[in-house]
Every structure is written in C-alpha cells, then in structure tokens.
Amino acid sequence: KLDTPTKFNLTAAFYTFSISFTKTTYIIFLLSNGLNRLEVHLISSIFTITTLSLEPITAVYAEFFGTKKSFILGCFIKVIAVLIFYFGSSFNLFIIAEILSAIGMTFISGCLVAWMVDRMKTEEKGSEIFKVFESRERYKSIAFIIGGLSGAFLGEYSLKLPWLGVAITMLITIIISNF
C-alpha cells in the first residue's frame, strides 16, 4: 500500500499523463475525420459549456458520495468518452464523446486535491500538504510533456492511437488511485 503523498503524486501524474496524450493531435484528428473548422470549434465549445453547466452538480455528488468515488467515476466516464473518439468518425459521435469527456472532467475537478488533503489531515500529516503540492506540480509538468510527446509519436502511426493511449493510462490511473 502506498503512502498518501506518493499515491496522490502518482495518481495526479498519471491522470495528467493520460489527458495530455491527445493535446498534440486533437484538432488534426477531428479534421482528418472530415470535420470542418466550424465543427471542430463547436465540439470544443461544447466541452466548455458542459463543464461550466455541470460543475455545481458534480460537486454535490462529491460531497455526498466522497471525493475518491467522484474521481474514479470521472475517470471511468473519460474512458468511455475517449473510446467513442477512438471508434467514432462523425460529428455527432464526437459531440457525444466531448459531452461525456466534460462530464468526466467535472467529476474529477478538484476531487483529487480534496481527497489528498482529507487523507493527510486524517493521518495527522497536515503540515506536509504544501510540500506534496509542490512535488505534485513538478510531476504533473513532466507527465504533461511526456504524455504530449507520446501522443504525437503514436499519432504518426494513426491519429486514433493517442485516444487508445488515454483509455489505457486512465485505467492505470484508476488502479493507482485504489492502492
């Protein structure tokens, strides 16, 4: 079993690694599936609108059922979303995938930090919280760079592969968060 700071940093790093896989190929992927620039922008806008609309509702879920459950649920929803991107090839499917991705994001937003702070307080390690946050940012930055480069590398073979990379690493994130 991992100690709380290690578990938190690994989970945050793998989550960041996971979501960064498609950062370098997202727009090219959508365009390669026959979408025009307006449709690409509409899909991106839908993510923002969905996130802003649902954030308060998913925050209530986290309060009632716990931040860990909210985080894991959000990760599972993100896996479903990226698999729709992976198998999809139409504007309508991409809208569904983007809405699901945004819903997943709202379940995840802030939960990992709140979960870690609660655990650290329970373990009477509250004085270590800022040290953990500091190291978290370093790990996330490294994970973001490696994830983006990995996605670009996979995208050279197929623009669908980065989506599969997200799904696999998101499942690994769920596993790590349960140790």
Side-chain angles (χ1 to χ4, degrees):
K1 190 142 175 127
L2 298 172
D3 67 324
T4 299
T6 303
K7 179 180 183 174
F8 171 72
N9 283 330
L10 276 174
T11 303
F14 263 89
Y15 175 74
T16 301
F17 178 69
S18 177
I19 63 170
S20 65
F21 260 84
T22 58
K23 298 296 183 196
T24 55
T25 59
Y26 175 73
I27 292 172
I28 299 167
F29 168 79
L30 293 174
L31 292 171
S32 75
N33 276 281
L35 276 61
N36 61 45
R37 290 184 303 199
L38 176 62
E39 290 170 324
V40 169
H41 292 295
L42 286 172
I43 288 172
S44 296
S45 298
I46 286 169
F47 181 89
T48 303
I49 292 165
T50 304
T51 302
L52 291 173
S53 302
L54 295 179
E55 189 80 36
I57 296 166
T58 55
V60 170
Y61 177 91
E63 284 296 317
F64 278 105
F65 297 104
T67 52
K68 181 178 180 180
K69 287 181 181 173
S70 183
F71 178 79
I72 291 170
L73 177 61
C75 287
F76 274 119
I77 293 170
K78 297 270 297 173
V79 168
I80 293 166
V82 299
L83 289 175
I84 293 171
F85 274 115
Y86 179 77
F87 290 109
S89 61
S90 71
F91 178 69
N92 291 335
L93 280 175
F94 295 147
I95 286 175
I96 292 167
E98 200 71 15
I99 290 170
L100 286 173
S101 182
I103 292 169
M105 179 63 84
T106 61
F107 276 103
I108 293 166
S109 177
C111 284
L112 190 56
V113 172
W115 174 22
M116 190 278 301
V117 169
D118 291 344
R119 283 291 299 245
M120 296 288 283
K121 286 180 179 177
T122 301
E123 296 171 5
E124 297 182 6
K125 295 180 181 178
S127 61
E128 297 176 33
I129 290 173
F130 291 110
K131 184 178 172 186
V132 175
F133 282 141
E134 208 174 273
S135 58
R136 170 185 160 234
E137 292 309 312
R138 279 193 304 273
Y139 295 131
K140 282 177 57 179
S141 295
I142 293 167
F144 189 83
I145 292 167
I146 295 171
L149 291 173
S150 299
F153 176 77
L154 291 174
E156 284 292 314
Y157 296 98
S158 168
L159 290 171
K160 288 185 176 270
L161 284 178
W163 297 103
L164 193 56
V166 174
I168 291 167
T169 55
M170 190 66 70
L171 291 172
I172 292 170
T173 301
I174 293 167
I175 292 167
I176 291 170
S177 70
N178 281 299
F179 271 92

